[in-house]
Amino acid sequence: MPDPNSAPNSNRITGRCYCGALSLMADAAPLTVAYCHCSDCRRWTGAPLPAFAAFAEDALRAEPPLSRPFEPVPGVQRWTCAACGSPVAARFDYLPGQVYVPLGVLDQAAALPPQLHCHTESQMPWLHLEDGLRRSRASGRDTLNAEATHPCP
């Protein structure tokens, strides 16, 4: 995989699973970046506050290609690395045309600050982030779908 710092396209986003067996590439900036406080995303990532970058489905490539997802709940598809088990992508039926990638697997994560908190009704009671970001008590689907039509700068 090319060095992300020397990529000719400044919008190129790259990433990989923990063991490096699976690489991700996108030639467009994320549609949005968001924190998710829901218990499903927390359990899948193992983090008390996962953050995800949303990409247009046709903008994200994986090498090797993503295999068949597992569906922990109806309407949610998740992919992990077959070799190491790292979470690498998720798709939600209520967010059509978007694929969500955990920020921790992206090489450019430091340059992709979240813009929104979703599912804040499930926030850990000891977690106190006063970051001034918009907050949605539920999925934030309206905001996330609207931002998909106006990608991040």
Side-chain angles (χ1 to χ4, degrees):
M1 178 189 321
D3 176 7
N5 296 320
S6 64
N9 181 345
S10 64
N11 286 331
R12 172 162 279 171
I13 304 293
T14 56
R16 67 175 182 84
C17 66
Y18 184 68
C19 73
L22 188 141
S23 297
L24 299 171
M25 294 137 291
D27 288 326
L31 302 170
T32 192
V33 181
Y35 290 113
C36 185
H37 294 269
C38 84
S39 61
D40 190 51
C41 287
R42 287 195 319 254
R43 188 161 308 276
W44 181 54
T45 63
L49 181 54
F52 298 92
F55 294 93
E57 214 165 25
D58 61 354
L60 185 69
R61 297 178 317 284
E63 186 58 45
L66 296 175
S67 60
R68 183 180 171 134
F70 70 96
E71 297 190 38
V73 294
V76 176
Q77 298 87 41
R78 297 193 185 270
W79 289 267
T80 58
C81 171
C84 67
S86 292
V88 293
R91 186 172 46 214
F92 307 92
D93 286 355
Y94 62 87
L95 299 168
Q98 301 175 54
V99 177
Y100 283 76
V101 176
L103 275 186
V105 303
L106 296 177
D107 298 319
Q108 295 78 16
L112 300 170
Q115 303 161 314
L116 172 72
H117 287 266
C118 297
H119 289 285
T120 59
E121 82 283 356
S122 299
Q123 181 173 323
M124 292 286 182
W126 46 260
L127 183 65
H128 304 284
L129 291 178
E130 303 302 326
D131 54 17
L133 297 179
R134 293 172 291 164
R135 295 176 179 268
S136 174
R137 292 188 51 75
S139 70
R141 78 181 66 208
D142 292 338
T143 302
L144 294 171
N145 279 319
E147 289 188 4
T149 62
H150 299 91
C152 295

